[in-house]
Structures are given as C-alpha cells and as structure tokens.
Amino acid sequence: KQEAAQVLGLAATFDEIFPRSLLVEMSRQEQIQPADKVLDELLAQRFLLSGDDGASLWLSPTLRAYVYERQSPTDCHRRHRLVATYYEAQTEPLLAARHWQRAAQDARAVRVLLPTVNELILEWQSKELIEFFQQLEPKRLVNGQWFAVQRVLSDLCQRNGQHEEALAACRQAIQATADAAQQASIYRRMGKLYESRNQLHALRYYQHAVERFPASDPELAELLKDRGWLYF
C-alpha cells in the first residue's frame, strides 16, 4: 500500500525512539491521509513497535536501513531538517545535531552542539559526542568551526583514554588555523598527552607552544610551570 510505504519512509528518518505525534505531523505535511489509520495498521502488522502507552515509536535497524536506502536524498534532507528543528525546540542538542548533520548542514549541527558539550559530558555521553564529531564533513563547516571541533574532540578523546585519537585531533586542529596563539594552545595539549609516555616529545611540543604564545597570555605561565615540573 502506497501510504504505508510513505509512512515507513518517514519513520526511517529516525534511528532512535521517536514521538508518534511527530511522525503523524510529518505524515500530514506530506499529505498522507489518514495518517493515524495508516500508522495503526503498521503497528498492527509489527512494522513499527510502540512504547510509553503508544506515545513513542521504534523502527528496527534492519528495516530502517532497507527503507532509508530507497528514499531520495532530497526527501531525506528535508525530513531531517524538520526533525532537527523539532529536537532543537525540545532542547535535545545531540539529537538535533545528528539530524542537522544528516541534512548535510554540518555547520548548523556544530552551532547547536558545541555550546552544550560540557553538559553532555556530565550526562556520560562522551562516546556519542566523539562519534558525532568524527563524522563531520570539514568542507561544510565555517568560520573556524573545524578548529573548534578538533580541539574539543582532542579533549573528549583524552578524557575517554583514546590517546592516539586525541593526538590525531590535535594535528588536525593545528592544520586548521594560522593563528599562533591557537596553535600554541594545541601544542600544549600535545605536550600534556606525551608527559607520561615520552617526556622528550612532551618537551618538544612545549617548546613549540612557548615559541607561539604571546608573552601576555596567562596560559603561557601555566605552560612554563608544566615544563619546569617535567624538567625536574
């Protein structure tokens, strides 16, 4: 049935549990009538599963992948934009950012997510944040966003015990900026990463940072203290 296939196409926009009310609204916007009846038929046939007394829906990953591949990119991007706008209004920054990203609007995804990173870390979502930042397309970012993303990614990976990934993010950050102070801050991070692993490398990166920090930068004093302890 065409209407049922269309509703499943909308449901494939989500790879998480999602509100029934949102799917109904999306169905109405695409002029699928009667949306509630079609949805009930899909639930009765177990194409979709429900929870929270019917308020939440879920599509199995296997079926989602099958259906999603058969949607046009234009339709997918439009639907992801709608869903991202919904989650942004619901103060769900990680979900909103994921859908902005899938709508090929990585810059908007970063604008939504970056200000909330510290809060999300406290909610034990470091792994999800790392995966999100690693999947961004740098060509779609603007105004120094790639540098900011890599700096945050290096900190997240370090916190998560992913030493090599943290260093890789630092190297990307250095390549993403010509600002000496920004480069100095990243070289200091690299020195910290090497302190317990290779002290000669750590000292070398600290020296790169010292050469780039402005004399008035407060971080320079902290760096000289770090380097002094390392020499000691």
Side-chain angles (χ1 to χ4, degrees):
K1 189 175 179 180
Q2 183 178 356
E3 291 82 1
Q6 289 175 303
V7 172
L8 279 179
L10 294 174
T13 307
F14 305 88
D15 58 4
E16 68 273 351
I17 296 171
F18 57 92
R20 174 185 174 122
S21 59
L22 179 55
L23 184 62
V24 170
E25 177 59 26
M26 292 170 69
S27 300
R28 288 172 178 162
Q29 287 195 21
E30 298 206 7
Q31 300 181 339
I32 302 171
Q33 297 292 343
D36 283 300
K37 181 179 179 181
V38 173
L39 187 50
D40 287 338
E41 291 174 354
L42 289 170
L43 286 165
Q45 297 173 48
R46 307 290 290 177
F47 284 106
L48 285 167
L49 301 179
S50 66
D52 300 324
D53 296 324
S56 300
L57 301 174
W58 182 75
L59 184 64
S60 76
T62 302
L63 181 56
R64 178 194 179 273
Y66 177 84
V67 174
Y68 192 83
E69 289 173 0
R70 285 156 179 77
Q71 309 304 304
S72 75
T74 301
D75 286 342
C76 288
H77 288 171
R78 183 184 69 253
R79 294 164 183 171
H80 281 300
R81 288 195 300 271
L82 192 153
V83 174
T85 301
Y86 170 85
Y87 281 129
E88 203 171 328
Q90 296 296 312
T91 321
E92 293 281 358
L94 186 52
L95 287 174
R98 284 173 178 165
H99 284 282
W100 282 124
Q101 182 185 39
R102 290 166 189 166
Q105 296 195 20
D106 296 47
R108 176 122 184 214
V110 169
R111 285 198 298 271
V112 169
L113 191 58
L114 271 185
T116 70
V117 165
N118 290 335
E119 179 183 338
L120 292 172
I121 290 173
L122 294 177
E123 296 174 5
W124 302 99
Q125 299 193 58
S126 294
K127 182 179 178 181
E128 290 83 355
L129 288 167
I130 290 170
E131 290 176 352
F132 171 81
F133 287 130
Q134 288 177 334
Q135 292 168 3
L136 288 169
E137 174 54 60
K139 292 180 181 179
R140 293 178 181 153
L141 302 184
V142 297
N143 301 328
Q145 284 183 324
W146 186 238
F147 171 81
V149 163
Q150 295 305 310
R151 182 173 58 188
V152 169
L153 181 57
S154 72
D155 291 342
L156 288 169
C157 290
Q158 180 182 11
R159 180 188 292 267
N160 214 39
Q162 297 173 255
H163 178 81
E164 294 303 323
E165 290 82 356
L167 286 170
C170 285
R171 294 186 184 103
Q172 288 285 336
I174 288 171
Q175 294 175 9
T177 181
D179 183 273
Q182 289 182 335
Q183 289 181 344
S185 180
I186 299 301
Y187 277 123
R188 184 190 176 202
R189 280 173 164 81
M190 297 178 79
K192 296 293 284 185
L193 285 165
Y194 271 113
E195 271 192 354
S196 61
R197 299 166 65 92
N198 188 318
Q199 293 179 341
L200 289 177
H201 279 356
L203 289 170
R204 185 181 68 187
Y205 286 121
Y206 281 155
Q207 183 59 33
H208 287 324
V210 168
E211 292 168 357
R212 287 165 173 80
F213 269 127
S216 60
D217 195 309
E219 193 173 349
L220 176 58
E222 295 298 319
L223 166 60
L224 294 174
K225 190 186 300 181
D226 291 339
R227 189 177 67 169
W229 277 111
L230 192 55
Y231 272 121
F232 179 78

